[in-house]
Amino acid sequence: MDAWSQLIATFFDWKAMAQVIPDLLTVGLPNTLILAITSGIIGCVLGMLLAVMGISRHALPRWLSRVYTDIFRGLPAAVIILLIGIGLGPVIRQLTGSTNPYPLGILALSLMAAAYIGEIFRSGIQSVEKGQMEASRALGFPYGATMRLVIIPQGIRRVLPALVNQFIALIKDSSLIFFLGLLASQREIFRIGNDAAANTGNLSPLVAAGILYLILTIPLTHLVNLIDRRLREGRREGPTSSDTADAGTSPAGSPAGVTPGGQP
């Protein structure tokens, strides 16, 4: 067998791919989406709390938010997952009697996501013009209501592309949960592809897992670009009827192109 044929057999064995695809779709895909979506929702809630603490007028909340963000953004994802999944495992086992590491994997992903999402929210909130706050306070809105009803919604809208990017990162980071030794029914896309590759001695199942990741992430990447373009360009509106009427007359009320004296 020449080198090219060996390369094709190693990475593109269609029979090996076909054998692993059912497990990828029925077990790996749902678990990957559960991990990403659940941790994304929890991360958004915690991230918003961190963002509000980060822009607080009091030093202590700002300091706590900064310390948390620096730690969870500075450590590798694998280290955080192992520390939480293995370190908290005995404590959870004593409290609940359960040895299931799946919730601890979600917790680790959520805590990591919160650090990044918190910074995303904070930058979006701080990008809103100060005049928005001043105008709302002038209308009688208290500080809390102004933040909740005016500032934060505008800040979130401005960072939607970055939030989608973070969700894409969560989809990929969910592959690291295999460190915790999940049950067969809890395996995500990467673990199923990796197990099949180890059993067959062929990397084609892992390539199939990678293709499924691309199917998930590439449309989301284009969605980010679409959202970003729409936010930058805004909605293009055609001329209104009043604008058309104004364009057809001169400032003195005469037809366009004719002076009040009747001369063109």
Side-chain angles (χ1 to χ4, degrees), residues 75-95:
L75 289 174
V79 173
I80 296 175
I81 290 172
L82 287 173
L83 288 176
I84 294 176
I86 297 178
L88 296 182
V91 178
I92 300 299
R93 191 180 305 116
Q94 291 180 359
L95 294 176

mmCIF file of all heavy atoms in Angstrom, residues 75-95:
data_model
loop_
_atom_site.group_PDB
_atom_site.id
_atom_site.type_symbol
_atom_site.label_atom_id
_atom_site.label_comp_id
_atom_site.label_asym_id
_atom_site.label_seq_id
_atom_site.Cartn_x
_atom_site.Cartn_y
_atom_site.Cartn_z
ATOM 1 N N LEU A 75 -6.672 30.322 33.936
ATOM 2 C CA LEU A 75 -6.387 28.890 34.022
ATOM 3 C C LEU A 75 -6.839 28.176 32.754
ATOM 4 O O LEU A 75 -7.862 28.532 32.167
ATOM 5 C CB LEU A 75 -7.112 28.281 35.223
ATOM 6 C CG LEU A 75 -6.585 28.658 36.614
ATOM 7 C CD1 LEU A 75 -7.498 28.083 37.686
ATOM 8 C CD2 LEU A 75 -5.162 28.152 36.804
ATOM 9 N N PRO A 76 -6.112 27.155 32.315
ATOM 10 C CA PRO A 76 -6.582 26.348 31.169
ATOM 11 C C PRO A 76 -7.888 25.644 31.504
ATOM 12 O O PRO A 76 -8.148 25.287 32.656
ATOM 13 C CB PRO A 76 -5.440 25.336 30.966
ATOM 14 C CG PRO A 76 -4.254 25.944 31.623
ATOM 15 C CD PRO A 76 -4.777 26.747 32.775
ATOM 16 N N ALA A 77 -8.693 25.432 30.476
ATOM 17 C CA ALA A 77 -9.996 24.799 30.683
ATOM 18 C C ALA A 77 -9.851 23.401 31.271
ATOM 19 O O ALA A 77 -10.625 22.997 32.143
ATOM 20 C CB ALA A 77 -10.760 24.747 29.361
ATOM 21 N N ALA A 78 -8.853 22.647 30.818
ATOM 22 C CA ALA A 78 -8.665 21.294 31.322
ATOM 23 C C ALA A 78 -8.366 21.288 32.813
ATOM 24 O O ALA A 78 -8.838 20.418 33.555
ATOM 25 C CB ALA A 78 -7.538 20.602 30.554
ATOM 26 N N VAL A 79 -7.586 22.272 33.273
ATOM 27 C CA VAL A 79 -7.253 22.347 34.694
ATOM 28 C C VAL A 79 -8.504 22.619 35.522
ATOM 29 O O VAL A 79 -8.738 22.000 36.570
ATOM 30 C CB VAL A 79 -6.185 23.432 34.936
ATOM 31 C CG1 VAL A 79 -5.952 23.644 36.430
ATOM 32 C CG2 VAL A 79 -4.880 23.050 34.253
ATOM 33 N N ILE A 80 -9.341 23.552 35.075
ATOM 34 C CA ILE A 80 -10.562 23.884 35.816
ATOM 35 C C ILE A 80 -11.493 22.676 35.873
ATOM 36 O O ILE A 80 -12.065 22.361 36.931
ATOM 37 C CB ILE A 80 -11.264 25.086 35.161
ATOM 38 C CG1 ILE A 80 -10.379 26.332 35.261
ATOM 39 C CG2 ILE A 80 -12.622 25.344 35.806
ATOM 40 C CD1 ILE A 80 -10.938 27.535 34.534
ATOM 41 N N ILE A 81 -11.657 21.996 34.752
ATOM 42 C CA ILE A 81 -12.556 20.839 34.719
ATOM 43 C C ILE A 81 -12.066 19.743 35.656
ATOM 44 O O ILE A 81 -12.856 19.130 36.391
ATOM 45 C CB ILE A 81 -12.689 20.327 33.275
ATOM 46 C CG1 ILE A 81 -13.481 21.338 32.439
ATOM 47 C CG2 ILE A 81 -13.377 18.969 33.235
ATOM 48 C CD1 ILE A 81 -13.515 21.025 30.965
ATOM 49 N N LEU A 82 -10.773 19.484 35.669
ATOM 50 C CA LEU A 82 -10.232 18.453 36.552
ATOM 51 C C LEU A 82 -10.336 18.869 38.018
ATOM 52 O O LEU A 82 -10.685 18.048 38.876
ATOM 53 C CB LEU A 82 -8.776 18.165 36.178
ATOM 54 C CG LEU A 82 -8.561 17.378 34.886
ATOM 55 C CD1 LEU A 82 -7.082 17.305 34.546
ATOM 56 C CD2 LEU A 82 -9.148 15.973 35.014
ATOM 57 N N LEU A 83 -10.019 20.122 38.317
ATOM 58 C CA LEU A 83 -10.089 20.568 39.711
ATOM 59 C C LEU A 83 -11.507 20.490 40.259
ATOM 60 O O LEU A 83 -11.730 20.037 41.389
ATOM 61 C CB LEU A 83 -9.558 21.998 39.823
ATOM 62 C CG LEU A 83 -8.047 22.187 39.657
ATOM 63 C CD1 LEU A 83 -7.697 23.665 39.703
ATOM 64 C CD2 LEU A 83 -7.298 21.432 40.745
ATOM 65 N N ILE A 84 -12.476 20.926 39.462
ATOM 66 C CA ILE A 84 -13.864 20.914 39.928
ATOM 67 C C ILE A 84 -14.440 19.515 39.862
ATOM 68 O O ILE A 84 -15.065 19.033 40.821
ATOM 69 C CB ILE A 84 -14.707 21.898 39.096
ATOM 70 C CG1 ILE A 84 -14.247 23.334 39.365
ATOM 71 C CG2 ILE A 84 -16.191 21.743 39.418
ATOM 72 C CD1 ILE A 84 -14.948 24.370 38.537
ATOM 73 N N GLY A 85 -14.238 18.832 38.747
ATOM 74 C CA GLY A 85 -14.848 17.517 38.572
ATOM 75 C C GLY A 85 -14.304 16.469 39.521
ATOM 76 O O GLY A 85 -15.061 15.660 40.071
ATOM 77 N N ILE A 86 -12.990 16.472 39.727
ATOM 78 C CA ILE A 86 -12.383 15.480 40.605
ATOM 79 C C ILE A 86 -12.318 15.982 42.044
ATOM 80 O O ILE A 86 -12.571 15.229 42.993
ATOM 81 C CB ILE A 86 -10.978 15.101 40.091
ATOM 82 C CG1 ILE A 86 -11.096 14.453 38.708
ATOM 83 C CG2 ILE A 86 -10.262 14.167 41.058
ATOM 84 C CD1 ILE A 86 -9.767 14.092 38.078
ATOM 85 N N GLY A 87 -11.996 17.263 42.215
ATOM 86 C CA GLY A 87 -11.872 17.799 43.571
ATOM 87 C C GLY A 87 -13.182 17.863 44.329
ATOM 88 O O GLY A 87 -13.229 17.568 45.531
ATOM 89 N N LEU A 88 -14.256 18.244 43.633
ATOM 90 C CA LEU A 88 -15.557 18.340 44.304
ATOM 91 C C LEU A 88 -16.330 17.035 44.278
ATOM 92 O O LEU A 88 -17.377 16.932 44.918
ATOM 93 C CB LEU A 88 -16.407 19.440 43.655
ATOM 94 C CG LEU A 88 -15.877 20.869 43.772
ATOM 95 C CD1 LEU A 88 -16.846 21.845 43.128
ATOM 96 C CD2 LEU A 88 -15.645 21.251 45.226
ATOM 97 N N GLY A 89 -15.837 16.045 43.533
ATOM 98 C CA GLY A 89 -16.541 14.770 43.429
ATOM 99 C C GLY A 89 -16.817 14.115 44.774
ATOM 100 O O GLY A 89 -17.960 13.733 45.068
ATOM 101 N N PRO A 90 -15.800 13.953 45.649
ATOM 102 C CA PRO A 90 -16.065 13.329 46.957
ATOM 103 C C PRO A 90 -17.042 14.119 47.815
ATOM 104 O O PRO A 90 -17.846 13.536 48.543
ATOM 105 C CB PRO A 90 -14.673 13.284 47.595
ATOM 106 C CG PRO A 90 -13.719 13.305 46.453
ATOM 107 C CD PRO A 90 -14.374 14.167 45.410
ATOM 108 N N VAL A 91 -16.987 15.457 47.728
ATOM 109 C CA VAL A 91 -17.913 16.280 48.522
ATOM 110 C C VAL A 91 -19.344 16.056 48.055
ATOM 111 O O VAL A 91 -20.261 15.864 48.866
ATOM 112 C CB VAL A 91 -17.521 17.766 48.416
ATOM 113 C CG1 VAL A 91 -18.512 18.631 49.190
ATOM 114 C CG2 VAL A 91 -16.104 17.980 48.913
ATOM 115 N N ILE A 92 -19.559 16.084 46.744
ATOM 116 C CA ILE A 92 -20.896 15.858 46.197
ATOM 117 C C ILE A 92 -21.377 14.454 46.529
ATOM 118 O O ILE A 92 -22.556 14.233 46.819
ATOM 119 C CB ILE A 92 -20.885 16.096 44.670
ATOM 120 C CG1 ILE A 92 -20.462 17.532 44.359
ATOM 121 C CG2 ILE A 92 -22.248 15.797 44.073
ATOM 122 C CD1 ILE A 92 -21.376 18.586 44.932
ATOM 123 N N ARG A 93 -20.457 13.502 46.499
ATOM 124 C CA ARG A 93 -20.825 12.115 46.810
ATOM 125 C C ARG A 93 -21.308 11.993 48.257
ATOM 126 O O ARG A 93 -22.272 11.288 48.549
ATOM 127 C CB ARG A 93 -19.633 11.190 46.555
ATOM 128 C CG ARG A 93 -19.979 9.708 46.593
ATOM 129 C CD ARG A 93 -18.747 8.858 46.332
ATOM 130 N NE ARG A 93 -18.114 9.241 45.069
ATOM 131 C CZ ARG A 93 -16.890 9.760 44.991
ATOM 132 N NH1 ARG A 93 -16.174 9.950 46.095
ATOM 133 N NH2 ARG A 93 -16.391 10.081 43.820
ATOM 134 N N GLN A 94 -20.647 12.691 49.180
ATOM 135 C CA GLN A 94 -21.060 12.636 50.572
ATOM 136 C C GLN A 94 -22.386 13.350 50.807
ATOM 137 O O GLN A 94 -23.200 12.922 51.630
ATOM 138 C CB GLN A 94 -19.981 13.247 51.466
ATOM 139 C CG GLN A 94 -18.710 12.413 51.549
ATOM 140 C CD GLN A 94 -17.677 13.049 52.449
ATOM 141 O OE1 GLN A 94 -17.894 14.131 52.998
ATOM 142 N NE2 GLN A 94 -16.526 12.391 52.612
ATOM 143 N N LEU A 95 -22.613 14.431 50.077
ATOM 144 C CA LEU A 95 -23.837 15.203 50.279
ATOM 145 C C LEU A 95 -25.046 14.565 49.619
ATOM 146 O O LEU A 95 -26.153 14.598 50.181
ATOM 147 C CB LEU A 95 -23.647 16.625 49.743
ATOM 148 C CG LEU A 95 -22.628 17.504 50.472
ATOM 149 C CD1 LEU A 95 -22.479 18.842 49.781
ATOM 150 C CD2 LEU A 95 -23.035 17.690 51.936
#
